[in-house]
Amino acid sequence: MKPILKLMFVLICFFACTFVVLKISGLLSIDAIKNWLTHAQSLNSYLVAAIIIALLVLDLFVAVPTLTLIILAGYFIGPTLGAVSAITGMLLAGLGGYWISLIYGHVLIDKLLKTEEEKSLAISNFKTRGPVVILLSRASPILPEVSACMAGMTKMPFKTFLTCWLISIIPYSIIAAYAGSISTLENPKPAIYTAIGLTGFLWLSWWAYKRLNSKTIKKLGCSIDS
């Protein structure tokens, strides 16, 4: 297994385990979150925003349904405050993942990758592909948190990470929050179509990137052989 895949596999397993545990316990089920937000809305819209931000920050440590949460934010507090809350929460989660991994990530690297060659290869691979991984990470649950941690562990330049992270979360949050704001219990279609559309677009982008990347590698191989 390639060194970079070893690191990502361990991180994915960690986040997947937290998701399974929470799913079984029901502590962060969709129904539970809806109940919290409904109660908070009766008190103050900013309390709803605070809960949304807190849950999205918590996503760094335990996998929560991010897209559903942003759609609910738009539904409960409107498109503007919903989007701002989502962007704030995901930005804090990303920064937390980056800086924690930048400081402590060497422990995992040293444990999994035994040789300097493996470590150098993992770092160079993520520096090459990392920006695209971050930009398209919202295509799959868990991958955004993994990509933020990988960016810190491999010492991706902070400006590069922050730029890619913001590009990945701002349009995503605005679209999802708006869809939630125009959805109702009687007509949930905008939220449903948006969830399908965003996920489909990102998966299609992944497919196009992999296809283009494989063609580039083949061309380089042919030019070297010739």
Side-chain angles (χ1 to χ4, degrees), residues 45-64:
S45 294
Y46 291 103
L47 181 58
V48 176
I51 293 173
I52 295 294
I53 292 171
L55 287 172
L56 289 171
V57 172
L58 185 64
D59 190 37
L60 176 61
F61 305 100
V62 292
V64 299

Side-chain angles (χ1 to χ4, degrees), residues 138-155:
R138 297 287 158 188
S140 174
I142 299 176
L143 190 56
E145 296 75 40
V146 171
S147 67
C149 292
M150 286 294 300
M153 276 193 286
T154 56
K155 295 180 172 56

Side-chain angles (χ1 to χ4, degrees), residues 78 117 123 147-148 151 155 168-169 172 197 206 209 211 218 226:
E117 183 181 357
I123 291 170
S147 67
K155 295 180 172 56
S168 74
I169 66 174
Y172 188 85
W206 263 119
Y209 169 72
R211 188 174 177 81
K218 285 180 180 179
S226 61

Side-chain angles (χ1 to χ4, degrees), residues 32-210:
I33 293 172
K34 283 181 180 178
N35 290 335
W36 297 347
L37 297 180
T38 300
H39 181 67
Q41 188 184 36
S42 65
L43 300 174
N44 192 304
S45 294
Y46 291 103
L47 181 58
V48 176
I51 293 173
I52 295 294
I53 292 171
L55 287 172
L56 289 171
V57 172
L58 185 64
D59 190 37
L60 176 61
F61 305 100
V62 292
V64 299
T66 304
L67 180 55
T68 303
L69 198 57
I70 300 172
I71 289 173
L72 287 174
Y75 174 77
F76 279 99
I77 53 178
T80 303
L81 187 55
V84 170
S85 302
I87 292 168
T88 302
M90 288 194 289
L91 177 60
L92 292 175
L95 293 176
Y98 178 88
W99 287 110
I100 291 172
S101 299
L102 183 68
I103 297 169
Y104 300 107
H106 65 89
V107 176
L108 183 61
I109 290 178
D110 291 340
K111 193 171 186 66
L112 292 177
L113 308 180
K114 302 302 182 182
T115 67
E116 290 301 320
E117 183 181 357
E118 283 187 316
K119 294 174 186 178
S120 299
L121 185 59
I123 291 170
S124 63
N125 280 344
F126 194 80
K127 282 185 176 178
T128 301
R129 298 187 174 93
V132 176
V133 173
I134 294 170
L135 289 172
L136 302 179
S137 62
R138 297 287 158 188
S140 174
I142 299 176
L143 190 56
E145 296 75 40
V146 171
S147 67
C149 292
M150 286 294 300
M153 276 193 286
T154 56
K155 295 180 172 56
M156 176 185 284
F158 179 68
K159 286 184 179 179
T160 302
F161 166 74
L162 184 60
T163 300
C164 293
W165 192 258
L166 288 174
I167 292 172
S168 74
I169 66 174
I170 290 176
Y172 188 85
S173 299
I174 292 172
I175 294 169
Y178 176 74
S181 71
I182 61 174
S183 299
T184 62
L185 294 176
E186 294 75 23
N187 180 30
K189 288 182 180 179
I192 294 171
Y193 291 155
T194 298
I196 295 172
L198 281 173
T199 305
F201 170 76
L202 290 168
W203 271 109
L204 185 62
S205 299
W206 263 119
W207 176 83
Y209 169 72
K210 289 179 70 176

